[in-house]
Amino acid sequence: MDYTAIDFETASGEPTSACSIAAVVVKDDVVTEKFYTLIKPPQETQFLKFCTKVNGITKEMTATAPEFPAVWEQLAPYLVGRLVVAHNASFDMRVLEAMLKYYNIPIPDFRYACTVKLSRMAWPLLPSHKLDAMGEFLNVKFNHHHALEDSVACAAIPVAAGRATGNSDFDKMAEKLGVTIRNFPPEPKEPKEVREARKKEAWLKRRAEKSAKRLSENREKDGSIAALSNN
């Protein structure tokens, strides 16, 4: 399998607050390249204590780090035209898109998939599919919430899933497991009201189908009883 695993760490809940990034390149099931750097976030970024406690990155640590445009020059070759994976990919893709738009950098062309979803489909009986749990399951020792080490752990998942399912091609494995490979950038998230309306519509449809089926079964049952009575 050939793909790139990435991981962002952020200074806050804002997607433009990326403070580190890592990329791990896998070719023929083997890690061939690793890239990691701190990022100096935009000047207005606030470093929240919660985030610093999780990833250990402070504002002072990023003071002399390169800003995202310079980082992108190094990162782009690992992503453009390739298949990219991330654990909880929606987060990392949202951060990448936000950083690109903030600095008016053209949106790149690549495909991506989520290794959380891949893990759930490949090993449905595991009690947890969080990255630390998957690392333990796959016997990958790593320092969680460090972008490079998270990327290494993430990179191990598709290879293991491929072996578990007997697929050496990522696309075929994803298709077999029912995991969607999407094009970057991700489609805009629907408003909550729209999602709720769709869920309600689907629920009403299922209820109507069940009612129709129950009515049909009752009619068949009544017809059978009537036939027996006539006999």
Side-chain angles (χ1 to χ4, degrees):
M1 291 187 188
D2 295 350
Y3 54 88
T4 300
I6 69 167
D7 182 74
F8 275 102
E9 294 296 329
T10 57
S12 72
E14 293 297 323
T16 53
S17 68
C19 56
S20 73
I21 174 66
V24 172
V25 177
V26 174
K27 292 183 178 180
D28 296 326
D29 291 359
V30 177
V31 173
T32 59
E33 294 181 74
K34 296 179 183 179
F35 169 76
Y36 171 79
T37 183
L38 291 172
I39 304 171
K40 183 178 182 179
Q43 187 174 359
E44 66 273 16
T45 300
Q46 293 185 341
F47 279 69
L48 299 185
K49 291 182 179 179
F50 171 77
C51 293
T52 296
K53 184 177 180 180
V54 169
N55 57 40
I57 300 174
T58 64
K59 185 174 184 178
E60 291 71 25
M61 291 170 63
T62 64
T64 58
E67 294 185 347
F68 186 75
V71 171
W72 178 244
E73 290 183 9
Q74 297 177 277
L75 179 64
Y78 299 114
L79 307 186
V80 177
R82 288 182 56 78
L83 174 63
V84 179
V85 300
H87 212 67
N88 190 17
S90 59
F91 168 79
D92 296 279
M93 297 306 135
R94 185 166 62 94
V95 172
L96 177 58
E97 183 182 17
M99 297 299 287
L100 291 166
K101 288 183 176 179
Y102 183 91
Y103 289 103
N104 295 314
I105 299 172
I107 299 297
D109 179 27
F110 65 84
R111 301 184 305 147
Y112 72 92
C114 180
T115 52
V116 173
K117 296 177 181 178
L118 184 64
S119 300
R120 288 172 180 163
M121 299 306 291
W123 302 285
L125 299 182
L126 290 180
S128 173
H129 297 90
K130 293 181 179 180
L131 191 57
D132 53 351
M134 292 308 302
E136 183 176 355
F137 173 68
L138 298 175
N139 198 28
V140 177
K141 300 187 187 316
F142 70 108
N143 180 18
H144 197 13
H145 296 302
H146 182 282
L148 181 56
E149 299 206 16
D150 280 4
S151 295
V152 170
C154 175
I157 294 172
V159 172
R163 291 171 180 166
T165 58
N167 286 273
S168 59
D169 179 88
F170 195 106
D171 287 66
K172 291 181 180 178
M173 175 188 65
E175 182 178 2
K176 182 175 182 179
L177 293 175
V179 174
T180 303
I181 300 176
R182 305 183 185 278
N183 292 319
F184 185 83
E187 295 180 1
K189 192 174 183 179
E190 290 180 327
K192 182 179 179 180
E193 295 79 7
V194 175
R195 296 198 305 274
E196 292 299 325
R198 181 177 286 107
K199 288 180 181 179
K200 185 176 181 180
E201 183 181 355
W203 178 79
L204 290 172
K205 183 179 179 180
R206 289 195 301 271
R207 189 173 71 167
E209 289 173 347
K210 288 180 179 179
S211 296
K213 183 179 179 181
R214 191 179 303 114
L215 180 61
S216 177
E217 290 173 347
N218 288 338
R219 284 176 178 172
E220 290 179 3
K221 183 178 180 180
D222 291 342
S224 298
I225 294 174
L228 289 172
S229 298
N230 292 332
N231 291 334

